Amino acid sequence: MTDAAPKQTAGGQMTDAAPKQTAGRGTNESVQERKGVLAAFRPRSAADVIAIALIVAGFISGAATFISLATLEPLAPNATTTLILVNIDLLIVVGLALLVARRLVRLWKSHRAGTVGSKLQVRLVALFGVIAMTPTVLIALFSILFFALGVQTWFGARVKTAVDESAAIARSYFTEHQNAIKADALAVANDVNRQWSQFAMSPLLRDNALSTQIAFRGLTEAVIFRPDGQVIAKAGYTFSLAFGDVVPFSELAKADSGQVPVITGENLDRVRALVRLEPYTGAYLYVGRFVDPNVVARVTRAEAAASEYQRLERQRSELESSFTILFTVVALLLLLVSIWFGLTLARRLAGPLVDVISAAEKVRGGDLTARVREGEASDEVSVLSRAFNRMTSRLGEQQSELKDTNAQLDERRRFTEAVLAGVSAGVIGLDRSGHITLPNRSASLLLGQDLTDAIGKSLAVVAPDFAPLLAEVMQSPQKVVQHEVQVAEGGMQKTFLVRLSSEQVATSEGTVATEGYVMTFDDITALQSAQRKAAWADVARRIAHEIKNPLTPIQLSAERLKRKYQGRLPDDSGLFAQCTDTIIRHVGDIGHMVDEFSAFARLPAAVLKPAELAAVIREAVFLQRTAYPNITFTFEPGAPVRLKCDTRQVGQALTNVLKNAVEAIEARFGPAVVGQKSPGAVLIRLATTPTEILVRVQDNGTGLPQSSRERLTEPYVTTRAKGTGLGLAIVKKIMEDHGGNLSLADSPIAESADGKRVGAEVTLHFPITLLLETEPSAFVAAQAGE
């Protein structure tokens, strides 16, 4: 590793090695970036390999097509070579088109299926496609238009005129040479005809004279020969060919007819003329002259260009179509190559982003082990991948730490809940704003609602009767308050002893802040009732003892006075008897009250024995029906019920309830009148449930008070002027001795004239455990059958 720390030179100066390290790191990053760019187009499938092979072949074929066009004659492509190259280009275009179409179809299917990252890839493909398509199409269109305009210019009137005039000038040049050599041939022939007699004397003279003629005329060669090929005279260049090869016989025939045929060399480098001499000579004159080779070459090229121009002009439409097809194929090849590169680049760019998106979705689902591939390059995508992996790793570590912490908190919470669950009192934890955070099961049972569903709710909403204590403890300097709170529940009023204390914590500033509150409460309704009952029982015993003792002497003394002095007092008019009777009657009433006190104070324990509950009810109803014949008593026994109970105490309880019903009816409709039927009615129903045996007594009397109704079962609490308040207290004690309960409600069988409910419903609840011979489910079935 390179140490980037500053180094000290021999002169004592400090040098920093960091720039070297930075330069090295920059070089490494540039190398990694180049590797990343190359890796972006690295083939990953057989289709990529085929595409790259087609692209390379396309570039080679395109280059070969260009070279083929560039090396051939202007505007004259070789048909065979060009056709082969164009066909190869077409095959490459078709192959690339199939690969691109395959990629596009897969991309479209992914987009339709809503695959993660497909939208981004579609956008990138569209962007790269437009970027690649625009210049390619513009260049192709510009090339086609430029070629069309160029062709139109090439075959314009000026070019055509220049080419035609050049060809005409070339033809005129040769015509001039031909006419000149004809004239020279005729002139030489005239001179030879005039001097023929001299030519016949000496061959040397003939050759000299002929040489003089060619030199004077500017000819290069001349020969006089006979029809059989015999040369009479010659001058200039010697002919190396046979006579038949030099002068065609067709030309001899033309000369015989008086014409002067002109013969051109194979390479157009010389012009010859043939003349028939006078008949008496029996010979022909054949002269020739060389043409300037440069001029001949230019004339030849001009004629060839004119001929090619005319040929191309005739094939103009075919040329335009051929080059348009060629440009189109090359443009399509470039376009498909660009689109393929765009698709590949879009896939390679979108691939890491898609991986990040997929991994992010897994992380969102809770899988913190999700990772993405990290590229070797140092581009932004690789940096993003590495940052994402570091983030998920850190999140995983934090999640593990949080799980461990939560496990510890859950363990502590379970321990706290276990402790609170074993507490009979209700406990509710509140935050600093008064919202419920931790209730125990006893709190839910005491309040009659599931407080686990109320976590996070305000105490004022869940238990509004307790809310004033929260406001009080916030203002209290001791931060602790305790009160008895009355809560109405289901027509009954309960008394809770509530204690609310605040949880104080020390802050970093050295002050004390309230973190939350803890409220504990318990139902003391039964405790208060038991305390009152115990107090009244003690009072009753004392009253029964202190009052009952003098009652007997008082009663005996009054009776004795009545027997001894009744009728002996003058002017008595029965006053003495009336007074003694009043004393005796009130002493009896007081004795009856003392007996009730004594019965309440010394109510014996219940002796449970098997009995028919319906028979016990009928006996009590019979006694009340006999005592109050003007009131209607109705009993609905329902299914047979046999249970263990104290028949005497149950009968006493029913008698007390029925007496209360009769007194309520008389209070509403007035005392009974002999022989007159009262509108009062009492309905007794016997029913069973899966958990209880119910005896409901309903009347249409004055009913029960709406407030403090639950206190009617306490001793000496009554709503009637002459009542002792012990009837319902005795009934409740009897039901408690049987493991049951007593409930009070409004009667559903009667309404007053103004539509309000009147009458009372007193229900005796016996536990189902007292039932004999029949299981509770059988009674439920019996009830369903009814």
Side-chain angles (χ1 to χ4, degrees):
M1 294 186 61
T2 302
D3 191 1
K7 298 180 180 179
Q8 188 173 9
T9 62
Q13 295 179 352
M14 301 298 294
T15 60
D16 194 358
K20 295 182 180 180
Q21 184 182 8
T22 304
R25 185 168 60 250
T27 303
N28 294 332
E29 290 180 356
S30 62
V31 171
Q32 290 181 355
E33 288 178 359
R34 288 195 295 272
K35 289 182 179 179
V37 173
L38 295 176
F41 295 100
R42 186 179 301 163
R44 298 182 181 179
S45 63
D48 292 343
V49 175
I50 295 173
I52 293 176
L54 289 176
I55 291 172
V56 173
F59 279 115
I60 296 175
S61 178
T65 304
F66 175 77
I67 294 173
S68 176
L69 291 175
T71 56
L72 293 175
E73 296 182 3
L75 297 176
N78 187 291
T80 303
T81 304
T82 305
L83 182 61
I84 293 174
L85 292 175
V86 170
N87 288 332
I88 293 175
D89 293 339
L90 286 175
L91 290 176
I92 294 173
V93 167
V94 171
L96 282 176
L98 291 176
L99 291 177
V100 171
R102 176 174 173 268
R103 293 278 295 275
L104 291 175
V105 168
R106 291 176 61 184
L107 181 61
W108 177 75
K109 289 182 178 180
S110 299
H111 182 67
R112 288 289 301 273
T115 306
V116 177
S118 60
K119 294 182 180 179
L120 176 61
Q121 196 168 356
V122 167
R123 292 175 183 174
L124 291 176
V125 168
L127 177 62
F128 289 131
V130 171
I131 293 175
M133 187 183 301
T134 302
T136 304
V137 172
L138 290 178
I139 292 174
L141 291 177
F142 178 77
S143 301
I144 293 173
L145 292 176
F146 180 77
F147 177 75
L149 293 175
V151 170
Q152 185 177 0
T153 302
W154 295 337
F155 294 102
R158 294 181 179 180
V159 176
K160 181 176 176 55
T161 301
V163 172
D164 292 343
E165 292 297 329
S166 299
I169 291 172
R171 288 191 297 272
S172 298
Y173 179 80
F174 274 103
T175 301
E176 181 182 357
H177 273 276
Q178 290 175 353
N179 292 333
I181 201 168
K182 280 182 181 182
D184 292 338
L186 289 174
V188 173
N190 289 331
D191 291 340
V192 170
N193 286 330
R194 286 195 306 270
Q195 299 176 7
W196 181 257
S197 59
Q198 298 177 2
F199 287 167
M201 295 179 182
S202 173
L204 181 61
L205 181 61
R206 291 192 299 269
D207 292 340
N208 292 333
L210 194 58
S211 298
T212 301
Q213 287 288 335
I214 63 175
F216 178 75
R217 304 292 179 183
L219 300 173
T220 59
E221 57 187 356
V223 63
I224 298 174
F225 62 91
R226 294 186 184 279
D228 58 358
Q230 180 184 359
V231 177
I232 298 176
K234 60 181 180 179
Y237 290 100
T238 303
F239 296 94
S240 60
L241 299 175
F243 173 74
D245 296 331
V246 174
V247 181
F249 290 104
S250 59
E251 301 298 331
L252 293 175
K254 291 180 181 180
D256 290 339
S257 63
Q259 300 180 14
V260 182
V262 178
I263 301 171
T264 305
E266 294 180 358
N267 297 325
L268 300 177
D269 56 347
R270 65 180 63 185
V271 181
R272 299 184 182 98
L274 181 64
V275 180
R276 170 72 170 166
L277 297 177
E278 292 296 333
Y280 60 82
T281 61
Y284 297 90
L285 175 64
Y286 191 46
V287 299
R289 179 185 292 127
F290 281 106
V291 182
D292 187 359
N294 294 328
V295 175
V296 171
R298 291 188 179 94
V299 170
T300 302
R301 287 196 297 270
E303 289 182 349
S307 177
E308 183 66 19
Y309 180 83
Q310 292 173 358
R311 185 184 68 80
L312 293 176
E313 187 178 14
R314 291 191 299 270
Q315 298 177 355
R316 177 179 176 179
S317 60
E318 296 179 2
L319 286 173
E320 291 181 351
S321 300
S322 299
F323 277 94
T324 301
I325 292 174
L326 184 61
F327 284 140
T328 304
V329 170
V330 174
L332 284 176
L333 180 61
L334 294 176
L335 177 62
L336 289 174
V337 169
S338 301
I339 292 177
W340 183 86
F341 274 104
L343 285 170
T344 302
L345 188 59
R347 183 184 65 181
R348 300 297 169 85
L349 288 178
L353 297 179
V354 171
D355 293 341
V356 172
I357 293 173
S358 302
E361 289 293 328
K362 293 180 180 179
V363 171
R364 185 177 66 88
D367 183 11
L368 296 181
T369 61
R371 298 291 186 273
V372 296
R373 295 189 301 272
E374 297 182 4
E376 299 178 356
S378 60
D379 56 356
E380 288 76 7
V381 176
S382 299
V383 172
L384 174 63
S385 301
R386 286 191 287 270
F388 181 84
N389 289 338
R390 288 195 299 269
M391 179 192 69
T392 52
S393 299
R394 183 56 182 161
L395 287 176
E397 295 174 0
Q398 292 178 350
Q399 187 188 46
S400 299
E401 294 174 359
L402 288 175
K403 285 183 178 179
D404 294 339
T405 304
N406 288 334
Q408 296 177 2
L409 292 176
D410 289 340
E411 184 177 357
R412 294 178 182 178
R413 183 184 181 91
R414 286 192 296 269
F415 176 76
T416 303
E417 290 178 350
V419 173
L420 293 178
V423 177
S424 60
V427 180
I428 298 178
L430 305 173
D431 59 12
R432 66 182 62 184
S433 58
H435 293 84
I436 296 176
T437 59
L438 180 63
N440 69 339
R441 187 170 58 89
S442 299
S444 300
L445 295 176
L446 291 174
L447 294 180
Q449 56 180 316
D450 189 2
L451 294 183
T452 56
D453 297 334
I455 294 177
K457 296 182 180 180
S458 175
L459 179 66
V461 176
V462 179
D465 297 314
F466 296 164
L469 276 75
L470 183 61
E472 183 179 350
V473 76
M474 290 181 179
Q475 303 298 328
S476 174
Q478 290 79 18
K479 301 300 181 181
V480 177
V481 294
Q482 179 174 321
H483 292 289
E484 292 184 3
V485 179
Q486 305 291 330
V487 178
E489 180 183 346
M492 302 293 291
Q493 190 168 4
K494 294 182 178 181
T495 302
F496 292 98
L497 180 62
V498 184
R499 179 183 175 86
L500 185 61
S501 60
S502 62
E503 182 182 357
Q504 304 292 321
V505 294
T507 63
S508 58
E509 291 80 6
T511 60
V512 178
T514 300
E515 183 69 18
Y517 302 92
V518 177
M519 182 176 65
T520 58
F521 60 96
D522 203 349
D523 186 1
I524 61 172
T525 305
L527 177 61
Q528 289 181 341
S529 178
Q531 289 176 348
R532 285 193 291 268
K533 287 181 180 179
W536 280 112
D538 184 65
V539 171
R541 283 194 297 271
R542 292 178 180 275
I543 291 176
H545 177 72
E546 298 296 335
I547 295 178
K548 191 173 184 180
N549 289 336
L551 284 181
T552 302
I554 293 173
Q555 183 178 1
L556 292 176
S557 298
E559 291 176 354
R560 184 176 180 184
L561 288 173
K562 180 180 179 182
R563 288 194 303 268
K564 184 174 181 180
Y565 296 103
Q566 185 177 4
R568 295 185 181 182
L569 297 177
D571 301 328
D572 183 27
S573 301
L575 180 60
F576 180 78
Q578 184 179 359
C579 291
T580 55
D581 291 338
T582 301
I583 293 172
I584 295 171
R585 185 174 65 253
H586 282 287
V587 168
D589 293 339
I590 294 174
H592 177 67
M593 184 180 299
V594 170
D595 291 338
E596 289 185 359
F597 287 163
S598 179
F600 175 74
R602 295 191 299 269
L603 190 65
V607 179
L608 304 182
K609 295 181 180 179
E612 289 287 345
L613 185 56
V616 178
I617 297 173
R618 287 192 184 93
E619 182 179 353
V621 170
F622 174 76
L623 294 176
Q624 298 302 320
R625 186 184 291 130
T626 303
Y628 305 98
N630 57 330
I631 297 177
T632 303
F633 290 89
T634 305
F635 173 48
E636 296 179 0
V641 177
R642 181 176 176 82
L643 77 166
K644 295 186 297 182
C645 65
D646 191 324
T647 55
R648 187 185 65 81
Q649 290 188 4
V650 172
Q652 180 181 358
L654 289 171
T655 300
N656 290 350
V657 173
L658 292 174
K659 282 184 176 181
N660 287 341
V662 170
E663 292 176 358
I665 291 173
E666 290 182 346
R668 180 183 178 189
F669 300 107
V673 179
V674 180
Q676 184 177 355
K677 192 66 174 178
S678 171
V682 179
L683 175 61
I684 303 94
R685 291 177 176 175
L686 176 60
T688 58
T689 68
T691 58
E692 293 180 315
I693 303 170
L694 305 177
V695 179
R696 292 190 176 92
V697 179
Q698 302 169 351
D699 63 69
N700 59 349
T702 56
L704 301 173
Q706 297 298 324
S707 61
S708 302
R709 182 178 295 182
E710 71 282 353
R711 296 202 59 193
L712 294 177
T713 59
E714 296 181 3
Y716 310 108
V717 177
T718 181
T719 58
R720 290 185 290 274
K722 295 183 178 181
T724 60
L726 294 175
L728 291 179
I730 293 174
V731 174
K732 184 174 183 180
K733 190 173 186 309
I734 292 173
M735 294 306 301
E736 290 176 351
D737 290 342
H738 283 76
N741 195 11
L742 173 69
S743 63
L744 306 177
D746 294 328
S747 175
I749 65 173
E751 291 183 357
S752 62
D754 54 0
K756 295 182 179 180
R757 286 288 179 189
V758 295
E761 180 183 75
V762 180
T763 304
L764 307 182
H765 300 262
F766 293 92
I768 200 68
T769 54
L770 299 178
L771 191 64
L772 297 175
E773 297 179 358
T774 308
E775 294 296 331
S777 58
F779 283 95
V780 176
Q783 285 293 105
E786 293 177 3

